[in-house]
Amino acid sequence: MRARLILLGVLSMCSMCFSQECNTEFLENVDFPGTDKQVLFSPDAAHCQHLCTQYSACQFFTFVRSDWTRDKRHFYCYLKSTPTGQPNRRTPLRGVTSGFSLKPCSPAPQPCLSKVYQNIDFLGADYQTFFTADYEGCQRACTQDPSCQFFTFVNNVFTPENIRNKCHLKFSWSIPQTPVVEATAGVVSGFSHKTQMSQMSDTACQGKLFPNTATQGNFIQSLPTAIAEHCLSLCSAHPSCTFFTFHSENFTCNLKNNQNEMVLRAQAGATSGIPERFCQLDTNWAKVPLDGIDFRSSVIRYVLMDDAETCQRTCTEDVNCQFYTYVHSSFHNSEYWRRCYLKRTITMPSPPKIAKLSNVVSGFTLRNCQGVV
Ligand SMILES: *[C@@H]1O[C@H](CO)[C@@H](O)[C@H](O)[C@H]1NC(C)=O
Protein backbone atom coordinates (compact mmCIF):
# COMPACT_ATOMS: atom_id res chain seq x y z
CA MET A 1 0.00 0.00 0.00
CA ARG A 2 2.80 2.36 0.96
CA ALA A 3 4.66 1.74 -2.28
CA ARG A 4 1.48 2.39 -4.24
CA LEU A 5 0.94 5.77 -2.64
CA ILE A 6 4.54 6.64 -3.34
CA LEU A 7 4.30 5.69 -6.98
CA LEU A 8 1.11 7.71 -7.31
CA GLY A 9 3.19 10.68 -6.23
CA VAL A 10 5.62 9.86 -9.01
CA LEU A 11 2.75 9.43 -11.47
CA SER A 12 1.55 12.96 -10.88
CA MET A 13 4.96 14.16 -12.06
CA CYS A 14 4.41 12.57 -15.44
CA SER A 15 3.61 16.02 -16.70
CA MET A 16 7.21 15.89 -17.85
CA CYS A 17 6.76 12.70 -19.87
CA PHE A 18 6.58 14.33 -23.27
CA SER A 19 9.56 16.03 -24.80
CA GLN A 20 9.88 19.79 -25.04
CA GLU A 21 11.48 22.25 -27.44
CA CYS A 22 14.88 23.78 -26.70
CA ASN A 23 14.12 27.39 -25.75
CA THR A 24 17.11 29.44 -24.51
CA GLU A 25 15.52 32.92 -24.43
CA PHE A 26 15.34 35.13 -21.33
CA LEU A 27 12.13 37.13 -20.89
CA GLU A 28 13.00 40.30 -18.98
CA ASN A 29 10.29 41.86 -16.84
CA VAL A 30 7.99 38.90 -17.48
CA ASP A 31 6.61 36.74 -14.64
CA PHE A 32 5.38 33.16 -14.91
CA PRO A 33 3.11 33.38 -11.82
CA GLY A 34 2.44 30.35 -9.56
CA THR A 35 3.13 26.63 -10.15
CA ASP A 36 6.33 26.78 -8.01
CA LYS A 37 8.02 23.46 -7.28
CA GLN A 38 11.08 24.79 -5.45
CA VAL A 39 12.79 28.06 -4.53
CA LEU A 40 16.60 28.26 -4.60
CA PHE A 41 19.08 31.14 -4.78
CA SER A 42 20.91 32.40 -7.87
CA PRO A 43 23.09 35.46 -8.47
CA ASP A 44 21.60 35.96 -11.97
CA ALA A 45 19.05 34.61 -14.41
CA ALA A 46 21.63 32.47 -16.25
CA HIS A 47 22.52 30.56 -13.06
CA CYS A 48 18.80 30.19 -12.27
CA GLN A 49 18.27 28.72 -15.75
CA HIS A 50 21.03 26.15 -15.10
CA LEU A 51 19.41 25.28 -11.74
CA CYS A 52 16.09 24.78 -13.52
CA THR A 53 17.86 22.54 -16.04
CA GLN A 54 19.33 20.38 -13.24
CA TYR A 55 16.28 20.31 -10.98
CA SER A 56 14.28 17.23 -11.99
CA ALA A 57 10.81 18.80 -11.80
CA CYS A 58 11.64 22.19 -13.35
CA GLN A 59 10.40 23.17 -16.83
CA PHE A 60 10.56 26.98 -16.54
CA PHE A 61 11.56 29.58 -13.97
CA THR A 62 11.16 33.14 -12.73
CA PHE A 63 14.19 34.89 -11.22
CA VAL A 64 13.96 37.97 -8.94
CA ARG A 65 16.77 40.34 -9.97
CA SER A 66 18.79 42.72 -7.74
CA ASP A 67 16.83 45.72 -9.14
CA TRP A 68 13.54 44.32 -7.76
CA THR A 69 12.05 46.97 -5.44
CA ARG A 70 8.83 45.54 -3.93
CA ASP A 71 10.44 43.54 -1.11
CA LYS A 72 13.72 41.86 -0.14
CA ARG A 73 13.34 38.70 -2.24
CA HIS A 74 16.39 39.46 -4.38
CA PHE A 75 18.12 36.48 -6.01
CA TYR A 76 15.17 34.10 -5.50
CA CYS A 77 15.06 31.52 -8.28
CA TYR A 78 11.55 30.03 -8.56
CA LEU A 79 11.59 26.62 -10.25
CA LYS A 80 8.26 25.77 -11.85
CA SER A 81 6.30 23.24 -13.85
CA THR A 82 2.80 22.59 -15.18
CA PRO A 83 1.09 19.52 -16.71
CA THR A 84 1.42 21.09 -20.19
CA GLY A 85 5.10 22.05 -19.73
CA GLN A 86 4.23 25.69 -20.48
CA PRO A 87 3.51 28.53 -18.02
CA ASN A 88 -0.22 29.00 -17.42
CA ARG A 89 0.16 32.78 -17.63
CA ARG A 90 2.80 35.34 -18.65
CA THR A 91 2.38 38.72 -16.97
CA PRO A 92 4.52 41.89 -17.08
CA LEU A 93 6.50 42.42 -13.84
CA ARG A 94 9.41 44.80 -13.37
CA GLY A 95 12.53 43.31 -11.71
CA VAL A 96 12.12 39.65 -12.71
CA THR A 97 13.41 37.52 -15.57
CA SER A 98 11.75 34.30 -16.73
CA GLY A 99 12.86 31.49 -18.99
CA PHE A 100 12.90 27.76 -19.64
CA SER A 101 14.79 24.63 -18.59
CA LEU A 102 17.61 23.66 -20.97
CA LYS A 103 16.89 19.93 -20.47
CA PRO A 104 15.77 19.58 -24.14
CA CYS A 105 19.00 21.35 -25.28
CA SER A 106 21.58 18.63 -24.30
CA PRO A 107 23.14 20.76 -21.54
CA ALA A 108 26.70 20.42 -20.21
CA PRO A 109 26.64 18.40 -16.97
CA GLN A 110 28.78 21.04 -15.21
CA PRO A 111 28.26 24.49 -16.78
CA CYS A 112 31.11 27.04 -16.78
CA LEU A 113 30.18 29.90 -14.41
CA SER A 114 32.93 32.46 -15.03
CA LYS A 115 31.16 35.66 -13.92
CA VAL A 116 32.07 37.31 -10.61
CA TYR A 117 29.52 39.27 -8.62
CA GLN A 118 30.47 42.56 -6.92
CA ASN A 119 28.60 43.46 -3.71
CA ILE A 120 26.87 40.07 -3.58
CA ASP A 121 27.42 37.64 -0.68
CA PHE A 122 27.11 33.86 -1.07
CA LEU A 123 26.20 33.05 2.54
CA GLY A 124 26.98 29.81 4.37
CA ALA A 125 28.53 26.48 3.27
CA ASP A 126 32.03 27.63 4.32
CA TYR A 127 34.64 24.95 4.92
CA GLN A 128 37.87 26.96 4.83
CA THR A 129 38.98 30.61 5.11
CA PHE A 130 42.31 32.42 4.65
CA PHE A 131 43.53 35.77 3.33
CA THR A 132 44.31 36.56 -0.31
CA ALA A 133 45.58 39.73 -1.99
CA ASP A 134 42.54 40.12 -4.24
CA TYR A 135 39.42 38.27 -5.39
CA GLU A 136 41.35 36.69 -8.27
CA GLY A 137 43.57 34.93 -5.71
CA CYS A 138 40.47 33.68 -3.90
CA GLN A 139 38.92 32.47 -7.17
CA ARG A 140 42.18 30.67 -8.10
CA ALA A 141 42.22 28.94 -4.70
CA CYS A 142 38.63 27.85 -5.26
CA THR A 143 39.41 26.55 -8.75
CA GLN A 144 42.45 24.58 -7.50
CA ASP A 145 40.56 22.93 -4.62
CA PRO A 146 38.35 20.08 -5.87
CA SER A 147 35.98 20.61 -2.91
CA CYS A 148 35.36 24.28 -3.68
CA GLN A 149 32.25 25.12 -5.69
CA PHE A 150 31.96 28.85 -4.96
CA PHE A 151 33.56 31.61 -2.88
CA THR A 152 33.05 35.00 -1.27
CA PHE A 153 35.96 37.44 -0.92
CA VAL A 154 35.87 40.44 1.46
CA ASN A 155 37.56 43.40 -0.29
CA ASN A 156 40.08 45.89 1.12
CA VAL A 157 37.61 48.67 2.04
CA PHE A 158 35.18 46.44 3.98
CA THR A 159 34.12 47.34 7.53
CA PRO A 160 35.06 45.92 10.03
CA GLU A 161 38.69 46.12 8.92
CA ASN A 162 39.86 42.93 10.61
CA ILE A 163 38.28 40.65 7.99
CA ARG A 164 39.44 42.60 4.92
CA ASN A 165 40.99 40.34 2.22
CA LYS A 166 39.36 37.27 3.73
CA CYS A 167 38.64 34.49 1.23
CA HIS A 168 35.84 32.03 2.08
CA LEU A 169 35.85 28.72 0.20
CA LYS A 170 32.44 27.07 0.02
CA PHE A 171 31.01 23.65 -0.75
CA SER A 172 27.93 22.21 -2.45
CA TRP A 173 27.39 18.66 -3.75
CA SER A 174 28.93 18.03 -7.17
CA ILE A 175 28.20 14.31 -7.32
CA PRO A 176 24.66 12.88 -7.50
CA GLN A 177 22.77 12.02 -4.35
CA THR A 178 19.83 9.63 -4.10
CA PRO A 179 17.40 11.64 -1.91
CA VAL A 180 15.19 8.62 -1.04
CA VAL A 181 16.30 4.96 -0.98
CA GLU A 182 13.88 2.13 -0.12
CA ALA A 183 13.68 -1.64 -0.39
CA THR A 184 10.79 -2.40 -2.81
CA ALA A 185 10.04 -5.78 -4.41
CA GLY A 186 9.73 -5.80 -8.21
CA VAL A 187 11.87 -2.76 -9.01
CA VAL A 188 15.53 -2.33 -9.91
CA SER A 189 17.58 0.86 -9.71
CA GLY A 190 20.99 1.98 -10.90
CA PHE A 191 23.13 4.80 -12.19
CA SER A 192 23.98 6.26 -15.56
CA HIS A 193 27.33 4.81 -16.71
CA LYS A 194 28.38 8.41 -17.40
CA THR A 195 27.57 9.71 -13.93
CA GLN A 196 30.57 11.41 -12.39
CA MET A 197 30.94 9.95 -8.91
CA SER A 198 34.51 11.08 -8.27
CA GLN A 199 36.83 13.90 -9.21
CA MET A 200 38.76 13.41 -12.45
CA SER A 201 42.41 12.44 -12.03
CA ASP A 202 45.13 10.41 -13.73
CA THR A 203 45.71 8.50 -10.51
CA ALA A 204 43.26 5.68 -9.75
CA CYS A 205 42.35 4.73 -6.17
CA GLN A 206 40.07 2.28 -4.41
CA GLY A 207 39.11 3.80 -1.08
CA LYS A 208 39.07 1.84 2.16
CA LEU A 209 36.06 0.01 3.59
CA PHE A 210 35.81 -1.77 6.97
CA PRO A 211 33.00 -4.37 6.78
CA ASN A 212 30.82 -5.02 9.85
CA THR A 213 32.31 -2.03 11.57
CA ALA A 214 30.73 1.13 12.97
CA THR A 215 32.07 4.42 14.31
CA GLN A 216 30.45 6.44 17.07
CA GLY A 217 29.63 10.16 17.19
CA ASN A 218 31.45 12.92 15.23
CA PHE A 219 28.41 13.18 13.01
CA ILE A 220 28.23 15.92 10.32
CA GLN A 221 25.56 14.85 7.83
CA SER A 222 23.29 11.91 7.04
CA LEU A 223 22.43 11.01 3.44
CA PRO A 224 20.43 8.13 1.95
CA THR A 225 22.55 5.72 -0.13
CA ALA A 226 21.85 2.17 -1.31
CA ILE A 227 25.42 0.90 -0.85
CA ALA A 228 28.59 1.69 1.10
CA GLU A 229 30.55 2.58 -2.06
CA HIS A 230 28.20 5.48 -2.85
CA CYS A 231 28.71 6.67 0.74
CA LEU A 232 32.48 6.51 0.14
CA SER A 233 32.10 8.71 -2.97
CA LEU A 234 30.04 11.27 -1.05
CA CYS A 235 32.49 11.34 1.87
CA SER A 236 35.39 11.77 -0.59
CA ALA A 237 33.65 14.77 -2.20
CA HIS A 238 32.89 16.51 1.12
CA PRO A 239 35.79 18.64 2.42
CA SER A 240 34.93 18.04 6.10
CA CYS A 241 34.32 14.26 5.94
CA THR A 242 37.20 12.40 7.64
CA PHE A 243 35.44 8.99 7.79
CA PHE A 244 31.92 7.57 7.45
CA THR A 245 29.62 4.75 8.51
CA PHE A 246 26.98 3.23 6.23
CA HIS A 247 24.04 1.29 7.74
CA SER A 248 22.62 -1.25 5.26
CA GLU A 249 19.40 -1.90 7.22
CA ASN A 250 18.12 1.65 6.74
CA PHE A 251 20.28 2.80 3.78
CA THR A 252 21.85 5.57 5.82
CA CYS A 253 25.24 7.10 5.02
CA ASN A 254 26.58 9.04 8.00
CA LEU A 255 29.42 11.43 7.19
CA LYS A 256 31.69 12.17 10.15
CA ASN A 257 34.41 14.58 11.16
CA ASN A 258 37.14 13.93 13.68
CA GLN A 259 40.66 14.83 12.63
CA ASN A 260 42.24 13.34 15.74
CA GLU A 261 40.92 9.82 16.15
CA MET A 262 38.73 7.18 14.54
CA VAL A 263 37.35 4.60 16.94
CA LEU A 264 36.06 1.49 15.16
CA ARG A 265 33.88 -1.18 16.76
CA ALA A 266 32.28 -4.37 15.44
CA GLN A 267 28.67 -4.01 14.27
CA ALA A 268 26.82 -6.33 11.88
CA GLY A 269 25.27 -4.54 8.89
CA ALA A 270 27.43 -1.45 9.24
CA THR A 271 30.33 -0.52 6.94
CA SER A 272 32.77 2.22 7.81
CA GLY A 273 35.38 3.76 5.58
CA ILE A 274 37.96 6.44 4.86
CA PRO A 275 37.65 8.92 1.97
CA GLU A 276 40.09 9.16 -0.94
CA ARG A 277 41.09 12.55 -2.30
CA PHE A 278 43.30 13.82 -5.15
CA CYS A 279 42.62 10.68 -7.20
CA GLN A 280 39.94 9.09 -9.34
CA LEU A 281 37.95 6.68 -7.20
CA ASP A 282 36.99 3.32 -8.64
CA THR A 283 33.30 3.76 -9.47
CA ASN A 284 32.57 0.41 -11.15
CA TRP A 285 30.04 -0.21 -8.37
CA ALA A 286 27.80 2.40 -10.05
CA LYS A 287 27.42 0.11 -13.08
CA VAL A 288 25.88 -2.73 -11.04
CA PRO A 289 22.02 -2.74 -11.00
CA LEU A 290 20.51 -2.82 -7.50
CA ASP A 291 17.67 -5.35 -7.35
CA GLY A 292 14.79 -4.56 -5.03
CA ILE A 293 15.94 -0.96 -4.50
CA ASP A 294 13.74 2.04 -5.29
CA PHE A 295 15.39 5.47 -5.73
CA ARG A 296 12.20 7.41 -5.11
CA SER A 297 11.62 11.04 -6.21
CA SER A 298 13.85 13.21 -8.46
CA VAL A 299 11.98 12.08 -11.60
CA ILE A 300 12.67 13.90 -14.88
CA ARG A 301 10.31 11.67 -16.91
CA TYR A 302 9.41 8.04 -17.50
CA VAL A 303 9.31 5.88 -20.61
CA LEU A 304 7.82 2.41 -21.14
CA MET A 305 10.16 -0.43 -22.10
CA ASP A 306 10.61 -4.18 -21.77
CA ASP A 307 13.66 -4.62 -19.57
CA ALA A 308 15.92 -2.97 -17.01
CA GLU A 309 19.01 -3.16 -19.27
CA THR A 310 17.30 -0.91 -21.84
CA CYS A 311 16.32 1.43 -19.00
CA GLN A 312 19.96 1.58 -17.86
CA ARG A 313 21.09 2.33 -21.44
CA THR A 314 18.38 4.99 -21.86
CA CYS A 315 19.60 6.69 -18.69
CA THR A 316 23.24 6.58 -19.81
CA GLU A 317 22.34 8.07 -23.22
CA ASP A 318 20.31 10.93 -21.68
CA VAL A 319 22.72 13.68 -20.49
CA ASN A 320 20.11 14.76 -17.94
CA CYS A 321 19.81 11.31 -16.30
CA GLN A 322 22.02 10.37 -13.33
CA PHE A 323 20.11 7.36 -11.97
CA TYR A 324 17.00 5.34 -12.78
CA THR A 325 14.37 3.00 -11.38
CA TYR A 326 12.74 0.31 -13.56
CA VAL A 327 9.45 -1.38 -12.60
CA HIS A 328 9.30 -5.12 -13.46
CA SER A 329 6.04 -6.97 -14.10
CA SER A 330 6.58 -8.71 -10.75
CA PHE A 331 5.71 -5.40 -9.04
CA HIS A 332 2.39 -5.70 -7.16
CA ASN A 333 0.58 -2.99 -9.14
CA SER A 334 0.34 -3.61 -12.91
CA GLU A 335 -0.32 0.08 -13.59
CA TYR A 336 3.42 0.77 -13.17
CA TRP A 337 4.83 -2.21 -15.06
CA ARG A 338 7.51 -1.47 -17.68
CA ARG A 339 8.06 2.07 -16.49
CA CYS A 340 11.63 3.34 -16.65
CA TYR A 341 11.93 6.43 -14.45
CA LEU A 342 14.86 8.71 -15.37
CA LYS A 343 16.12 10.82 -12.45
CA ARG A 344 18.63 13.43 -11.35
CA THR A 345 19.67 15.85 -8.59
CA ILE A 346 21.44 19.22 -8.79
CA THR A 347 25.24 18.84 -9.08
CA MET A 348 26.21 22.36 -10.22
CA PRO A 349 27.46 24.93 -7.67
CA SER A 350 24.42 26.09 -5.71
CA PRO A 351 24.86 28.61 -2.84
CA PRO A 352 22.38 28.00 0.03
CA LYS A 353 21.68 31.76 0.32
CA ILE A 354 22.55 34.92 -1.62
CA ALA A 355 22.16 38.56 -0.49
CA LYS A 356 23.43 42.06 -1.24
CA LEU A 357 26.48 43.11 0.81
CA SER A 358 28.76 46.07 0.08
CA ASN A 359 32.48 45.42 -0.51
CA VAL A 360 32.43 41.68 -1.08
CA VAL A 361 32.93 39.74 -4.33
CA SER A 362 31.50 36.28 -4.97
CA GLY A 363 31.91 33.75 -7.74
CA PHE A 364 32.29 30.11 -8.73
CA THR A 365 35.07 27.61 -9.36
CA LEU A 366 36.46 27.82 -12.89
CA ARG A 367 37.18 24.05 -12.99
CA ASN A 368 34.25 23.55 -15.36
CA CYS A 369 35.51 26.21 -17.78
CA GLN A 370 37.63 25.00 -20.68
CA GLY A 371 41.24 26.07 -20.78
CA VAL A 372 41.43 26.69 -17.03
CA VAL A 373 43.52 24.73 -14.47
C1 LIG B 1 20.05 3.41 10.99
O1 LIG B 1 20.40 2.24 11.68
C2 LIG B 1 21.49 2.39 12.61
C3 LIG B 1 21.85 1.05 13.15
O2 LIG B 1 20.74 0.39 13.66
C4 LIG B 1 21.10 3.41 13.67
O3 LIG B 1 22.17 3.59 14.57
C5 LIG B 1 20.75 4.72 13.01
O4 LIG B 1 20.28 5.65 13.97
C6 LIG B 1 19.65 4.52 11.94
N1 LIG B 1 19.51 5.77 11.22
C7 LIG B 1 18.34 6.25 10.84
C8 LIG B 1 18.35 7.55 10.12
O5 LIG B 1 17.29 5.67 11.06
Side-chain angles (χ1 to χ4, degrees), residues 31 69 112 128:
D31 185 25
T69 52
C112 166
Q128 197 180 359

Side-chain angles (χ1 to χ4, degrees), residues 146-158:
S147 297
C148 187
Q149 296 295 310
F150 50 97
F151 67 89
T152 293
F153 173 75
V154 180
N155 79 14
N156 61 1
V157 294
F158 188 86

Side-chain angles (χ1 to χ4, degrees), residues 27-33 89-94 96 98:
L27 303 165
E28 282 199 22
N29 302 314
V30 173
D31 185 25
F32 295 158
R89 287 184 300 139
R90 300 172 184 226
T91 55
L93 187 63
R94 204 172 274 282
V96 304
S98 293

Side-chain angles (χ1 to χ4, degrees), residues 2-3 6 178-185 187 189 224-226 250-251 290-296 325:
R2 183 140 161 260
I6 287 154
T178 46
V180 187
V181 180
E182 275 185 2
T184 306
V187 307
S189 294
T225 63
N250 54 16
F251 304 117
L290 302 159
D291 266 315
I293 296 287
D294 187 5
F295 289 155
R296 262 175 48 213
T325 297

